[in-house]
Amino acid sequence: MSTPRSNRSLQERRSRPPPSREVEYRFIQDTVNDLCTVIKNYAQKYFTKKEINFDACAMCFKDIVKTWRVETSEFNNWKEFIERANENHIDKTVKNQAAFRDLIHICERSKEFEVMIPHVRERMLNCVKEHVYKYCLSFAEETGGVDASIVTEYEQHIRNYKRDIESMLTAINGDILRYSDVKSSFERFVAEGGNIGKLMESICVQIVEIAHEIKKWTGDDAAYPEKLQQEILFNNGYKETLQQDVFKLHQRRQSLERSLERRAKVRKKVEKDYAVFRKEKKKRKDSIQTLEMKIERLEFQIQHKNETVEGAKTSLSNKRMLSPRQEEEMHTKLAKTLKEIDRLTEWSSVSTRQKVRLEKELKDISDRTYELKVELVTNRHETDEMRTSLEGMDIELKSMHERLDNLDRKTSVMKHIRVLKMSPETLRKLYRRRREFYHEGQLTDACRYVAQEIASDWKRLYKCLPFEPQREPSKLKHDIELIDIYSARSDQTVEEQALKCLEKWRTFSRRNADVAQLIRGLRKLNKEDLADKVEMRFSTESVYG
């Protein structure tokens, strides 16, 4: 159990911001360890005792009550029994019985339990809501949309921790309510002492489990900066590897660009040679065609001359038809024609030789032209492949640069979060930010949030809100009627009516209208979940007092 001195220390601790993470962890650890020690001492005192005969205790209780000449139903709880036992005489023989000692043991167990559990639960709740929830943070909102897996994973762990702790707190509250129900009749309380003891023991175990969950959470939170650092180092190593790959890819790209430049020069020369050879090829073809036409013309002339020679020979063979003069002229003409035939034959022979030579040259030029054409096509295909490779390299380089930029953003975010997590000033800023909950803007936001959530319960909330100065019930009723009338005329929604009632509360309670008072009003209305949400969003002060 905590002493007044520890209570004063707790109040002092609440009144100032946490100086550092280590101090905050130590405070959380000390708190849960202290609560575990309280539970452990209680368990050693009341749950390690020898087996209790609850039936014998019940009979002893009935015998004692019979001596007092009252009914057992008159005793609603252990407190009434102890008070009557202190006032009335009990026989020494009965007092010396083991059943009586066990009966007193049951009463003392319940007395200490009912004093201890609310205090332990309150300290546990305060530790969870005022320290663990508010300072064991992932700072996921600081990522700015950057996908830092270690941050999102830890944020998910936090959600899991909160869910588990809230589930265990709900279970404890349920068991405490069950305990409150079963202790209403002291006779039944004694008779069912074994089951009730198990229920009390279960509540103690659940508190210890919450303590262990908090220790695990704070352990993870303490290791969070180191995990961030490891992730930063991993990213830096990966970045160096990626930069080396980028450098190698740049070198390959530059080499490919140089190859493309060389191929462009080669292609230009080949295209020039190809054009020259095509021109020469055409020139040779034209020359051959001209020679063929010339040879054909010469052959025709030779044939014509031969026919003339044959005619002249025929005429000469028939001497009776020719005069001497004609015969002489015919011989002269025949000689001249034969001479022309020889000349034409010589020209035809020269032309044929020229044609053969040109055809050979044409073949060589055609072969070379084809080789140049093949070389050009090959060059073009290889150039296209290189350009495709170059485009692929550009895409890969762009992807690598994007990964590098993403790594830089992730590393920057994680460094920023690590600084936030490590710096004591961050805790102070968080504390100051939450201490400023009473500012007008934050109270307005809180009122808007509550108006959306409270809806049709706004009339009950208005009556539960604290006013300073105090507002009379008749005036509260009149305020609600005015809001109803105005809302009916303006056709307002229940959310707008709720916001109107909160604005009216702020108007009539200017001295103390703040988020804390709004939370207290919600708790008075038994809107615990909504009060917790408002407190987590807009406040840091404990409003469980």
Side-chain angles (χ1 to χ4, degrees):
M1 303 293 289
S2 65
T3 63
R5 181 178 178 183
S6 65
N7 285 333
R8 287 196 300 272
S9 299
L10 179 59
Q11 293 297 328
E12 291 174 1
R13 180 64 182 79
R14 284 180 178 178
S15 65
R16 62 178 186 272
S20 67
R21 291 171 64 247
E22 289 72 20
V23 173
E24 186 67 14
Y25 292 147
R26 192 158 54 248
F27 173 81
I28 295 171
Q29 294 285 345
D30 291 346
T31 300
V32 295
N33 286 336
D34 184 33
L35 296 180
C36 286
T37 301
V38 171
I39 296 294
K40 180 181 177 182
N41 292 337
Y42 177 81
Q44 288 178 344
K45 185 175 181 180
Y46 293 106
F47 296 132
T48 58
K49 189 179 179 294
K50 64 180 181 65
E51 290 292 328
I52 298 175
N53 189 336
F54 292 100
D55 292 335
C57 291
M59 289 300 300
C60 181
F61 167 65
K62 290 178 181 178
D63 292 340
I64 293 172
V65 170
K66 193 179 292 184
T67 62
W68 292 341
R69 296 178 182 178
V70 294
E71 296 295 329
T72 56
S73 58
E74 292 187 17
F75 297 92
N76 292 322
N77 52 54
W78 60 268
K79 189 174 182 180
E80 294 179 0
F81 174 76
I82 290 295
E83 289 176 353
R84 184 68 67 87
N86 291 333
E87 293 173 357
N88 296 339
H89 174 72
I90 299 176
D91 187 80
K92 289 184 178 181
T93 306
V94 175
K95 285 186 175 182
N96 290 330
Q97 291 178 4
F100 179 78
R101 290 195 297 272
D102 289 343
L103 187 61
I104 298 301
H105 178 83
I106 292 172
C107 294
E108 290 175 349
R109 181 181 72 177
S110 299
K111 177 182 178 181
E112 191 165 338
F113 180 80
E114 292 173 20
V115 172
M116 173 192 70
I117 289 301
H119 174 74
V120 168
R121 179 186 174 280
E122 180 66 21
R123 284 191 66 190
M124 183 69 76
L125 200 61
N126 176 73
C127 180
V128 168
K129 292 184 178 293
E130 295 297 321
H131 299 276
V132 181
Y133 281 5
K134 292 184 178 179
Y135 296 113
C136 293
L137 304 173
S138 68
F139 294 101
E141 66 279 2
E142 296 292 331
T143 58
V146 176
D147 183 19
S149 58
I150 189 169
V151 180
T152 54
E153 286 173 4
Y154 184 53
E155 177 66 18
Q156 183 60 46
H157 287 328
I158 289 177
R159 285 196 288 269
N160 294 339
Y161 279 127
K162 285 184 177 179
R163 182 196 62 214
D164 295 342
I165 289 174
E166 293 295 334
S167 175
M168 286 186 277
L169 285 171
T170 302
I172 288 174
N173 292 337
D175 286 346
I176 291 174
L177 289 175
R178 285 174 55 201
Y179 173 81
S180 300
D181 292 338
V182 298
K183 74 171 186 175
S184 58
S185 170
F186 186 62
E187 182 181 7
R188 188 180 67 174
F189 186 76
V190 174
E192 298 179 3
N195 293 331
I196 294 172
K198 290 179 181 178
L199 180 60
M200 297 162 72
E201 190 171 1
S202 173
I203 293 171
C204 293
V205 168
Q206 290 177 74
I207 290 173
V208 173
E209 286 177 350
I210 293 177
H212 288 316
E213 194 74 3
I214 292 172
K215 286 181 180 180
K216 186 179 177 183
W217 186 350
T218 52
D220 285 350
D221 197 68
Y224 184 47
E226 181 60 28
K227 290 180 180 178
L228 287 169
Q229 180 64 20
Q230 292 299 323
E231 189 72 10
I232 290 168
L233 292 175
F234 173 79
N235 281 357
N236 288 338
Y238 181 54
K239 180 181 177 181
E240 290 178 1
T241 302
L242 205 56
Q243 285 175 334
Q244 290 176 0
D245 292 341
V246 169
F247 177 73
K248 291 177 182 177
L249 197 57
H250 269 300
Q251 287 185 322
R252 285 170 53 199
R253 190 180 185 281
Q254 291 171 359
S255 175
L256 197 59
E257 286 177 340
R258 289 193 294 270
S259 296
L260 280 171
E261 290 176 1
R262 288 194 298 269
R263 288 190 176 278
K265 292 178 181 179
V266 171
R267 184 180 65 252
K268 190 174 181 180
K269 182 178 181 304
V270 171
E271 286 175 347
K272 183 178 179 180
D273 292 344
Y274 180 64
V276 170
F277 273 89
R278 283 189 66 185
K279 187 175 180 180
E280 289 294 324
K281 181 178 178 181
K282 187 176 182 305
K283 187 177 178 181
R284 294 293 188 280
K285 282 184 176 181
D286 291 343
S287 297
I288 290 171
Q289 189 176 6
T290 301
L291 285 173
E292 286 176 345
M293 293 174 61
K294 183 179 179 181
I295 291 170
E296 185 178 351
R297 189 172 61 251
L298 288 172
E299 287 177 349
F300 176 78
Q301 290 176 356
I302 290 171
Q303 183 180 359
H304 179 69
K305 294 294 182 183
N306 285 329
E307 290 176 355
T308 302
V309 169
E310 290 296 329
K313 286 182 178 180
T314 302
S315 298
L316 287 173
S317 62
N318 191 1
K319 294 181 179 180
R320 291 175 298 177
M321 297 178 61
L322 295 174
S323 64
R325 185 177 176 181
Q326 288 177 331
E327 186 176 354
E328 184 179 354
E329 289 178 356
M330 188 66 68
H331 278 291
T332 302
K333 185 177 179 181
L334 181 62
K336 183 179 179 181
T337 301
L338 289 172
K339 190 175 182 180
E340 287 178 356
I341 289 173
D342 290 339
R343 187 177 71 252
L344 289 172
T345 302
E346 180 65 25
W347 288 353
S348 177
S349 176
V350 171
S351 296
T352 301
R353 288 197 301 272
Q354 286 180 346
K355 179 185 173 185
V356 171
R357 178 176 57 78
L358 288 174
E359 285 177 345
K360 183 179 179 183
E361 290 178 357
L362 178 62
K363 183 178 182 307
D364 293 339
I365 290 173
S366 296
D367 291 344
R368 182 57 183 158
T369 304
Y370 179 76
E371 290 174 1
L372 291 172
K373 183 178 180 180
V374 170
E375 191 173 348
L376 273 176
V377 172
T378 303
N379 185 289
R380 185 173 66 249
H381 287 166
E382 290 178 351
T383 300
D384 290 342
E385 289 177 359
M386 287 182 177
R387 284 175 179 165
T388 302
S389 299
L390 202 61
E391 290 175 359
M393 288 181 182
D394 289 337
I395 293 172
E396 191 173 355
L397 279 171
K398 183 180 178 182
S399 174
M400 287 181 173
H401 283 301
E402 287 175 354
R403 276 184 279 171
L404 284 170
D405 292 340
N406 191 34
L407 279 175
D408 288 337
R409 287 196 297 272
K410 283 185 180 180
T411 302
S412 177
V413 162
M414 288 188 288
K415 284 181 179 178
H416 173 60
I417 291 176
R418 187 171 184 274
V419 169
L420 288 177
K421 199 69 182 173
M422 296 290 290
S423 173
E425 186 59 28
T426 304
L427 297 181
R428 298 188 186 104
K429 285 180 180 178
L430 289 172
Y431 179 84
R432 287 195 293 268
R433 189 188 307 167
R434 287 194 289 267
R435 289 288 292 178
E436 292 170 357
F437 68 93
Y438 53 84
H439 284 178
E440 189 68 20
Q442 197 151 5
L443 178 57
T444 301
D445 292 340
C447 288
R448 287 175 180 166
Y449 178 76
V450 170
Q452 290 289 329
E453 298 292 330
I454 203 72
S456 58
D457 283 336
W458 66 268
K459 294 180 182 179
R460 293 172 52 216
L461 173 63
Y462 190 69
K463 294 177 181 179
C464 293
L465 290 169
F467 285 85
E468 183 64 34
Q470 188 69 30
R471 197 158 179 78
E472 297 175 2
S474 60
K475 291 184 177 180
L476 293 175
K477 184 178 179 181
H478 181 65
D479 293 340
I480 293 172
E481 289 174 353
L482 287 177
I483 294 173
D484 277 334
I485 293 170
Y486 180 79
S487 301
R489 290 176 181 174
S490 306
D491 193 24
Q492 290 185 337
T493 63
V494 289
E495 289 83 5
E496 291 172 331
Q497 295 171 32
L499 184 59
K500 189 70 178 176
C501 97
L502 292 172
E503 290 173 355
K504 194 172 283 290
W505 165 65
R506 294 170 65 182
T507 301
F508 292 129
S509 187
R510 291 187 179 277
R511 297 183 187 177
N512 73 331
D514 56 26
V515 178
Q517 298 300 325
L518 178 60
I519 293 170
R520 288 191 173 95
L522 290 169
R523 294 200 187 284
K524 189 175 179 181
L525 188 61
N526 292 325
K527 295 286 185 181
E528 292 289 340
D529 291 341
L530 181 56
D532 288 342
K533 290 177 181 177
V534 173
E535 186 183 8
M536 287 299 295
R537 289 188 180 215
F538 305 103
S539 173
T540 59
E541 290 192 352
S542 174
V543 289
Y544 286 89

